[in-house]
Amino acid sequence: MLTGRYQQGGFAIGRTSPRARVFVNGVDEGLASEAGYFIVGFDRDAEPQAIIRVVNADGEASHMAQIAPGDFDIQRIGGLANNQVNPTGEALLARIRAEAGRKAQGFASRADLDGFKTGFIAPLAKYRISGRFGGQRVLNGEPRTPHYGADLAAPAGASIRSPAAGVVAFAETGMHFEGGLTMIDHGQGLISLYLHQSRVDVRRGEMVSQGQVIGAVGKEGRATGPHLCWRMKWRGRNLDPTLMVGARTPA
């Protein structure tokens, strides 16, 4: 049984027997939770079809998901410091490499949870979408990779809430590109990220509940004004976190 948003950057949430094994396009993506819940993410550049298959002791079932193309724009941002677009200097490059290594550890988190099963709330009480997920980025006139987050403009200091339960997989301030950065593992490789924070209120390994304040909006790192860049990954695939708001699991 599946529900979800079948589009590039979307997802499917399913329920099956406890600890059934889940495959996507023939690749083993782990086990369903003790309650039988599982999640599958469709990358920003996902192919038009995805075969979701679950296997347990009694047999297997599969579903061919038809993935609609995303609606992506072009986002032009100017006025950024050059070291935020084309960083140079061995000390800065070494710092960026070290930060990338620590972030990779956060992305590798695989908590045995199903925090996604209650659905997601927005991380801010009030905001304006200033940058949509998936748009082609042009920074200081230079074309770059797509923007894998949703930018939510809000006043500096506004409280950031955890959209769903999970465990903190990463929490640091002073990151070169991200400023204050928090990652939350909601289970089965679903990681949400919160960038440019002026304050980080949680620690790595801490369990958080839905609605719990985890930090505050800022403009740290590569940013031109106060906002929250909200991102989400599922096992390396880039998802649109706004599509998760209001998601519900099958009964």
Side-chain angles (χ1 to χ4, degrees):
M1 189 178 298
L2 293 166
T3 61
R5 300 290 293 273
Y6 292 85
Q7 64 187 77
Q8 290 178 323
F11 65 93
I13 297 176
R15 192 169 191 189
T16 181
S17 59
R19 300 305 189 190
R21 190 162 292 279
V22 180
F23 296 83
V24 180
N25 292 332
V27 177
D28 186 344
E29 299 291 3
L31 302 175
S33 71
E34 289 185 356
Y37 292 105
F38 66 92
I39 188 163
V40 169
F42 308 123
D43 190 69
R44 188 260 189 199
D45 300 316
E47 296 295 325
Q49 294 180 329
I51 301 174
I52 302 170
R53 183 166 63 98
V54 295
V55 179
N56 60 20
D58 298 323
E60 63 179 75
S62 63
H63 174 75
M64 174 74 78
Q66 304 295 327
I67 312 303
D71 176 22
F72 307 127
D73 57 15
I74 298 177
Q75 302 167 9
R76 303 180 187 276
I77 300 174
L80 294 168
N82 188 60
N83 69 358
Q84 291 288 349
V85 180
N86 295 299
T88 59
E90 185 52 40
L92 177 55
L93 294 176
R95 171 189 170 187
I96 292 171
R97 286 193 297 269
E99 291 178 352
R102 298 199 302 275
K103 288 185 288 186
Q105 294 178 12
F107 285 126
S109 179
R110 294 292 183 268
D112 186 14
L113 301 171
D114 53 12
F116 52 83
K117 70 181 181 182
T118 59
F120 279 61
I121 60 173
L124 299 175
K126 295 182 179 180
Y127 60 89
R128 173 180 59 84
I129 295 180
S130 56
R132 295 170 54 212
F133 169 85
Q136 173 68 54
R137 274 283 165 97
V138 180
L139 304 180
N140 289 359
E142 299 182 21
R144 294 301 178 99
T145 57
H147 183 225
Y148 293 123
D151 285 342
L152 311 182
S159 294
I160 302 169
R161 311 174 297 180
S162 178
V167 61
V168 178
F170 185 98
E172 289 191 23
T173 58
M175 304 288 286
H176 177 69
F177 291 118
E178 299 90 355
L181 171 63
T182 301
M183 299 183 188
I184 299 176
D185 182 350
H186 302 285
Q188 299 179 20
L190 184 67
I191 312 288
S192 62
L193 297 84
Y194 308 85
L195 286 68
H196 311 306
Q197 294 176 246
S198 61
R199 191 184 75 243
V200 173
D201 294 343
V202 291
R203 300 187 302 269
R204 183 178 179 181
E206 181 179 346
M207 295 296 299
V208 294
S209 57
Q210 186 179 62
Q212 178 178 334
V213 174
I214 61 172
V217 170
K219 55 178 181 179
E220 314 304 315
R222 188 162 69 189
T224 57
H227 74 285
L228 172 65
C229 179
W230 184 23
R231 300 190 178 196
M232 186 170 290
K233 280 182 177 282
W234 179 74
R235 299 179 179 268
R237 299 162 175 86
N238 293 291
L239 311 186
D240 181 351
T242 65
L243 297 179
M244 292 291 296
V245 175
R248 290 292 182 270
T249 50

